[in-house]
Amino acid sequence: MASNLVSYIAQMLTPDMIARIASMLGLDSSKVQGAVAAAVPALLAGLTGVAAQPDGAQKIADTARQQGGSLDNLIGMLSGGDQTSLAQSGSQIISSLFGASNGSALANAVGGASGIDQRASGSLLATLAPLVMGGLARQSGGDLSANGIAGLLASQKDNIAAALPPGVREMLGGTGLLGSLGASAQSAANSATQAANQAARSAAASASAASAASQRAAAAAVPSSSRNWLYWVIAALVLAGLLFYLFGRPGEPVTPQAGTPEQVTPQASTPAESLTVGGIDVGQQVRDAMASLQTTLTGVTDAASATAAVPKLEEVSTGLDKVTGVAGQLSAGQKAALAALITPMMSTLNGLFDKVLAIPGVSDVLKPTIDGLKAKLAALSA
């Protein structure tokens, strides 16, 4: 069994593989390297959450069993440039294990932490998912039972929590995917907080020492009659320098706390309870529909995958029909809230629609369904 599962999987991804993934995504290799460093522990963290659910460990074990024997083939596909087939397989894995909503949350978190857009982060997760499952199977010691997989993931919680970037941990905090990491995730967060606090205390101590030294030097250099006003000037300068050090230094990104406006996605901006009507949670229905659309469309790369995506898109369309059926019962305020929920996401969805329809052979399969979806979303956001 691997001493560190995160490191084992990361070591499989050679610089050449990273470069090939970057080329597929149209991104710089260094940015993709950072995204991979976030994606691998994020996927493993999500798997620990799935394993804690009823029958979740069995689902992971079944999936790992399918991938484990072909790990070398999977690595060969990535090395040989067949990332498309790998991504298609990974998209199915993510949809099966995490579902549309949590799959979208993972893509958002990885993208937010690494500075790539959700489409690219979704494709990256889909490309890595088969390798992660294959690595999990390879390191299970041959025990691909539900108990064996659950035990392996449980033994790796500390390693996973330590490798998980703070931004990813914060953005996934409300999804339930990190619940099984428990104290491990909290310990990692506490360590980061303690380090920041220690740095602040050191800075304050340094500033205080500098202030005292400056005052002593000034006192020795000027007549006593001039010292009173000079002390005030020195104190003001030291205070200004300390404030600049703590709050005004450029070039240092600040990770927003979970739940602040910088991190709240458009899907989560409207309280779900305010949009419940006729026994249907309209807000949640729409959020799930848009998340499912993004995940499904990201997995479409050719006519075959487009055909496979039709049932999922029709399921989304049916869900929107239910929302439309009760939309007439919404108050003017609720309609405005619904429009505010949908409108910010339409530019992203329209971009995905256009990209998918531009793939050879896909328009003939998906255009009628996509046109219908666009019309329903436009009507609900009017």
Side-chain angles (χ1 to χ4, degrees):
M1 183 176 294
S3 58
N4 189 324
L5 186 58
V6 179
S7 297
Y8 174 78
I9 294 172
Q11 288 169 4
M12 292 191 295
L13 297 164
T14 65
D16 178 66
M17 293 181 184
I18 298 294
R20 290 180 183 275
I21 295 174
S23 177
M24 177 187 72
L25 299 178
L27 296 173
D28 182 76
S29 292
S30 62
K31 180 163 285 191
V32 172
Q33 180 71 59
V36 167
V40 171
L43 283 168
L44 288 170
L47 290 176
T48 64
V50 173
Q53 300 170 5
D55 299 324
Q58 186 61 58
K59 289 172 62 177
I60 297 173
D62 292 341
T63 305
R65 192 176 299 111
Q66 296 170 8
Q67 302 295 331
S70 57
L71 179 58
D72 293 336
N73 291 336
L74 295 172
I75 295 174
M77 290 169 65
L78 183 54
S79 300
D82 192 10
Q83 297 95 344
T84 299
S85 298
L86 202 62
Q88 289 176 358
S89 174
S91 181
Q92 295 173 358
I93 290 173
I94 290 174
S95 177
S96 172
L97 293 179
F98 300 117
S101 181
N102 282 338
S104 180
L106 280 170
N108 274 327
V110 171
S114 58
I116 64 177
D117 61 43
Q118 186 181 25
R119 178 201 63 80
S121 62
S123 296
L124 175 65
L125 286 170
T127 302
L128 295 178
L131 297 175
V132 170
M133 297 305 299
L136 189 66
R138 181 71 62 85
Q139 294 301 305
S140 67
D143 185 0
L144 288 175
S145 65
N147 288 337
I149 289 296
L152 173 58
L153 289 171
S155 72
Q156 294 293 317
K157 285 182 180 180
D158 288 344
N159 293 329
I160 295 169
L164 202 63
V168 174
R169 182 166 52 245
E170 291 167 1
M171 294 184 74
L172 293 179
T175 64
L177 287 172
L178 303 184
S180 65
L181 290 183
S184 298
Q186 187 59 48
S187 175
N190 289 341
S191 296
T193 300
Q194 290 170 3
N197 290 340
Q198 181 59 43
R201 287 193 294 269
S202 297
S206 298
S208 177
S211 173
S214 298
Q215 291 180 13
R216 288 193 298 270
V222 299
S224 59
S225 61
S226 304
R227 289 176 186 171
N228 288 339
W229 67 267
L230 189 57
Y231 286 159
W232 286 105
V233 171
I234 294 172
L237 290 173
V238 171
L239 179 59
L242 179 60
L243 290 174
F244 178 80
Y245 179 84
L246 293 176
F247 304 109
R249 291 176 294 167
E252 294 187 11
V254 179
T255 302
Q257 296 297 314
T260 60
E262 290 84 348
Q263 283 192 334
V264 175
T265 63
Q267 296 97 320
S269 60
T270 303
E273 60 271 20
S274 69
L275 292 176
T276 299
V277 62
I280 296 178
D281 188 342
V282 173
Q284 190 61 49
Q285 288 269 5
V286 171
R287 279 192 290 272
D288 289 345
M290 291 191 293
S292 180
L293 276 177
Q294 291 182 69
T295 300
T296 303
L297 292 173
T298 299
V300 175
T301 56
D302 53 21
S305 58
T307 301
V310 169
K312 191 64 179 178
L313 294 178
E314 290 179 344
E315 180 182 332
V316 173
S317 181
T318 300
L320 292 177
D321 287 338
K322 293 180 181 179
V323 172
T324 302
V326 298
Q329 303 176 41
L330 295 172
S331 66
Q334 288 175 318
K335 289 180 180 178
L338 181 60
L341 176 67
I342 296 173
T343 301
M345 290 299 298
M346 286 310 301
S347 60
T348 299
L349 288 175
N350 285 331
L352 283 172
F353 288 146
D354 293 341
K355 179 181 178 181
V356 165
L357 293 177
I359 299 173
V362 170
S363 180
D364 294 338
V365 179
L366 293 185
K367 192 174 190 307
T369 304
I370 287 179
D371 286 345
L373 288 166
K374 292 170 70 174
K376 291 173 184 179
L377 287 169
L380 289 171
S381 63

